[in-house]
Amino acid sequence: MKSKKPILFPKHKKIMEILGENIKLARKRRSLTILQMAERANLNRNTITSIEKGSPNVSIGAYFNVLRTMNLQDDFLKLAEDDEFGRKLQDIKLLAAVKDTRKLKS
């Protein structure tokens, strides 16, 4: 089965491009070449180049291996860490449940 390519809106594509640029800068700060990064992350050079361009077609595991290679794997834990919107939705449901309980007691 052929996998589908992800479709991103322009503003979301920009986020991926910024992520790629941040990864590229982190690699350069460590004075690593693309070839060195590829060898250490067990990926090919084209994949590293795609990651540094922010390609959504690269697996999340490849992104993780690149970050791990630069000792930035803990940054992965920050993804979706503070889900403010999700908490608000949860709180609304909890408040609605409390109101329903009060109505039943009346």
Side-chain angles (χ1 to χ4, degrees):
M1 187 167 101
K2 191 174 181 181
S3 63
K4 295 181 182 180
K5 290 187 176 185
I7 299 170
L8 295 178
F9 290 111
K11 75 177 190 177
H12 301 136
K13 187 175 181 183
K14 184 68 179 165
I15 291 169
M16 291 296 295
E17 290 170 359
I18 291 169
L19 172 63
E21 184 66 24
N22 288 344
I23 289 171
K24 182 177 183 176
L25 290 171
R27 175 183 61 80
K28 287 186 172 196
R29 280 187 215 108
R30 288 161 177 74
S31 300
L32 294 171
T33 66
I34 289 178
L35 183 57
Q36 288 171 322
M37 177 64 71
E39 289 172 353
R40 293 176 187 190
N42 198 27
L43 300 168
N44 77 37
R45 291 184 335 201
N46 292 335
T47 302
I48 301 298
T49 300
S50 293
I51 287 171
E52 290 184 352
K53 289 180 180 177
S55 173
N57 299 322
V58 178
S59 75
I60 196 165
Y63 274 90
F64 181 81
N65 277 343
V66 166
L67 291 173
R68 178 192 49 79
T69 298
M70 295 184 290
N71 201 28
L72 296 172
Q73 66 275 3
D74 290 345
D75 287 359
F76 232 65
L77 296 173
K78 295 176 186 175
L79 298 174
E81 178 181 55
D82 186 23
D83 183 17
E84 185 177 334
F85 181 70
R87 269 197 234 112
K88 286 180 181 179
L89 290 173
Q90 182 183 27
D91 291 348
I92 290 169
K93 288 177 185 176
L94 292 173
L95 289 173
V98 168
K99 287 180 183 178
D100 289 343
T101 305
R102 288 181 185 164
K103 286 180 183 177
L104 292 174
K105 289 181 179 180
S106 302

